[in-house]
Amino acid sequence: MTTTAPIDYLVRPTGALCGDIRVPGDKSISHRSLMLAAIAEGRTRIRNLLRGEDVLATMAALRSMGVRIDDRDPQPSKGERGRDDIDEIVVHGIGDRSLSPPRSGVLDLGNSGTSMRLLAGLLCARIDRPCSLTGDPSLSRRPMRRITDPLSSMGAKIEPSPSGTPPIRLEPIAGDPFQARLRAIDFSGDVVSAQVKSAILLAGLRARGTTCYTEPGPSRDHTERMLAAFGAPPSQEGLRTCIEGGIGLRGTVIDVPGDLSSAAFFLAAAAGRPGSDIIVRGVGINPTRSGVLSILEGMGARIERHDIRGSGGEPVADLRVRGTRLQGIDIDPASVPLAIDEFPAIFVAAAAARGCTRVRGAKELRIKESDRIAAVADALFALRIEVEVFDDGMAITGGEIAGGSVDSASDHRIAMAFATAGIGEGSLRIRDCRHVATSFPGFVALAGEVGLDIEVQGGDA
Ligand code: S3P
């Protein structure tokens, strides 16, 4: 898992950002591709899988339960593979057979909320012995009743700790694991969460009858798109999604698009620096995920979408951003779930924009890998940027970010957002950046390619 040795970033001022880059594969889609491939009949080939620690945690958990996953080492060795070469892993799906958790009974999912919540739904009617889903200190603070309550009502034997947090204890449900069946439910969620929706849909594959989930607003629909690619398309009517129990998945080929959440750091940084010109190729622009683009555009960003195409049921484009001075805006609360992971980058862009940027209706930010409202506000305060904090959001008055020292709150996205900030003078130290590897291996090197100057200090190396 993540190295325990402290890593700081030291960021020095640079000028305009320029380059033509690709970012690693999408984290959400990578998790789903492994999980669905594991329970499909036959082989699935996955290209461009993200090898971040969160996805590796999902991969390790599946392997520890008996799923064979062949992974060619993607590291380019001289003269053999260029960075445009496609790398591929092959998952040998177990079909309808049960998954056997390791004898230790522990599946350690590190920092990864997606692994924990989606696997809970996937496993609750597929395991043949008990297990506990555990995580690191950050994951161990995150709320799990939002999934354990609906899964329990389906008949799953699932229990979080008394405080509603991990570890999650799972036991096999009664009966032959081949036939173990949950009760179908018709559930309406009260938070916009793709993880809750996905956990219920994945459990619904093992229910008798049709399981439906109605969300209070649109959340990312990667699970639905990927279920269709595996031959089990859910039906959809507005915000209500239904899945038939008992449909078997068939192995397929998945091309994972570049992760818009990773691209967002460079897009936001370039958008606000006059003279910048960056192209990020092959990025997923699924409309349930691309709120960051419209929010930045609302702030005046110049973003072009080129060569829009499909990849594994997901829309993909090459994104070009040319820098300008951004303008603060009131962000529409309806767009918050569509950009939920990009707020650290948006907040840092707002700190350099003209005027005030305000977001409300974003309480979910408080229960991500860190309390992202508190963590960003503390960091901006330390950098003498004017911030007003609300229970469900923040108002930031743009200024000039001078050097100083901020804490990432052990949160990969806070670390990367500040690492890509435009700094007027001095240097910016970002403490505790070791979690960047959970979602963006190679971040510092790629940042260097577009002209950022980030020195890594500490760590195991
Ligand atoms: C994710 C959904 C979002 C997001 C997370 C990944 C997913 O979480 O913040 O990083 O892959 O389904 P919520 O479902 O809690 O909104």
Side-chain angles (χ1 to χ4, degrees):
M1 294 286 108
T2 304
T3 170
T4 45
I7 289 178
D8 285 0
Y9 287 167
L10 193 66
V11 186
R12 299 191 185 86
T14 49
L17 306 181
C18 294
D20 185 339
I21 57 171
R22 284 178 189 275
V23 290
D26 186 279
K27 184 154 77 72
S28 292
I29 296 174
S30 294
H31 282 296
R32 286 158 172 80
S33 67
L34 288 170
M35 292 183 200
L36 295 191
I39 58 163
E41 199 62 60
R43 286 187 311 179
T44 294
R45 310 162 89 82
I46 307 173
R47 300 188 181 130
N48 198 36
L49 184 90
L50 170 66
R51 284 168 172 81
E53 288 170 358
D54 280 9
V55 175
L56 296 179
T58 289
M59 199 194 279
L62 293 169
R63 276 185 169 143
S64 77
M65 290 184 288
V67 181
R68 183 174 148 206
I69 301 175
D70 299 334
D71 184 4
R72 274 196 302 141
D73 185 350
Q75 296 302 316
S77 56
K78 255 200 183 136
E80 245 180 61
R81 295 162 64 88
R83 71 170 197 188
D84 289 335
D85 281 347
I86 292 171
D87 71 82
E88 191 173 88
I89 70 155
V90 179
V91 181
H92 302 260
I94 61 158
D96 233 11
R97 279 172 291 141
S98 53
L99 289 152
S100 286
R103 296 242 166 247
S104 70
V106 175
L107 299 176
D108 180 358
L109 303 168
N111 195 242
S112 179
T114 309
S115 306
M116 184 165 290
R117 295 200 179 112
L118 270 60
L119 280 175
L122 187 89
L123 298 184
C124 61
R126 288 178 194 271
I127 46 170
D128 61 7
R129 68 168 84 102
C131 65
S132 283
L133 310 183
T134 66
D136 72 3
S138 152
L139 182 53
S140 300
R141 284 191 292 270
R142 299 182 67 183
M144 293 297 151
R145 288 221 168 93
R146 51 178 62 194
I147 53 148
T148 56
D149 284 352
L151 294 175
S152 297
S153 72
M154 296 177 80
K157 292 190 176 169
I158 185 165
E159 187 80 50
S161 77
S163 52
T165 53
I168 295 178
R169 175 92 186 144
L170 275 168
E171 283 179 28
I173 56 175
D176 174 351
F178 280 89
Q179 285 148 27
R181 287 277 179 257
L182 297 165
R183 279 189 296 279
I185 52 168
D186 191 344
F187 184 77
S188 293
D190 54 8
V191 282
V192 180
S193 166
Q195 294 179 350
V196 174
K197 174 175 62 178
S198 302
I200 293 170
L201 293 177
L202 294 177
L205 289 169
R206 272 286 173 125
R208 285 181 211 283
T210 308
T211 298
C212 295
Y213 177 73
T214 304
E215 48 188 349
S219 67
R220 64 190 67 190
D221 63 0
H222 303 307
T223 303
E224 297 90 304
R225 288 171 186 257
M226 201 175 286
L227 280 166
F230 277 88
S235 62
Q236 237 153 333
E237 223 189 294
L239 296 170
R240 182 172 152 98
T241 308
C242 298
I243 187 94
E244 286 304 317
I247 302 183
L249 308 189
R250 286 188 310 273
T252 184
V253 177
I254 300 287
D255 269 302
V256 180
D259 196 331
L260 179 58
S261 299
S262 297
F265 300 108
F266 300 125
L267 300 174
R273 293 193 201 197
S276 295
D277 188 353
I278 283 192
I279 297 177
V280 191
R281 297 201 184 265
V283 183
I285 53 161
N286 180 321
T288 60
R289 272 289 286 288
S290 56
V292 62
L293 301 180
S294 39
I295 291 171
L296 289 174
E297 283 172 330
M299 297 173 77
R302 296 186 296 163
I303 305 176
E304 295 165 19
R305 297 149 179 83
H306 293 285
D307 192 13
I308 298 176
R309 54 216 187 255
S311 175
E314 294 278 346
V316 166
D318 299 336
L319 299 176
R320 179 175 187 185
V321 177
R322 275 175 280 192
T324 180
R325 184 90 200 271
L326 298 179
Q327 177 70 48
I329 53 165
D330 274 354
I331 295 173
D332 177 2
S335 66
V336 167
L338 313 178
I340 193 69
D341 290 341
E342 288 66 70
F343 276 96
I346 293 167
F347 289 147
V348 169
R354 271 196 208 99
C356 181
T357 300
R358 194 175 294 103
V359 63
R360 303 297 303 261
K363 211 170 177 177
E364 281 288 303
L365 290 178
R366 292 205 178 267
I367 48 169
K368 293 295 176 189
E369 286 83 327
S370 69
D371 175 342
R372 287 183 172 157
I373 293 176
V376 171
D378 286 351
L380 291 179
F381 181 74
L383 297 173
R384 294 182 293 281
I385 298 290
E386 201 183 313
V387 191
E388 188 182 354
V389 175
F390 311 107
D391 186 37
D392 65 346
M394 176 149 60
I396 298 168
T397 304
E400 175 146 314
I401 300 185
S405 179
V406 300
D407 199 304
S408 81
S410 303
D411 184 324
H412 56 138
R413 299 202 198 279
I414 307 273
M416 289 185 277
F418 281 93
T420 46
I423 308 162
E425 56 183 36
S427 61
L428 174 61
R429 175 173 297 279
I430 306 164
R431 294 187 301 274
D432 192 9
C433 298
R434 68 193 193 284
H435 286 88
V436 165
T438 59
S439 67
F440 201 155
F443 165 72
V444 171
L446 201 55
E449 273 189 43
V450 297
L452 288 154
D453 181 352
I454 304 172
E455 184 186 328
V456 180
Q457 298 190 331
D460 293 329

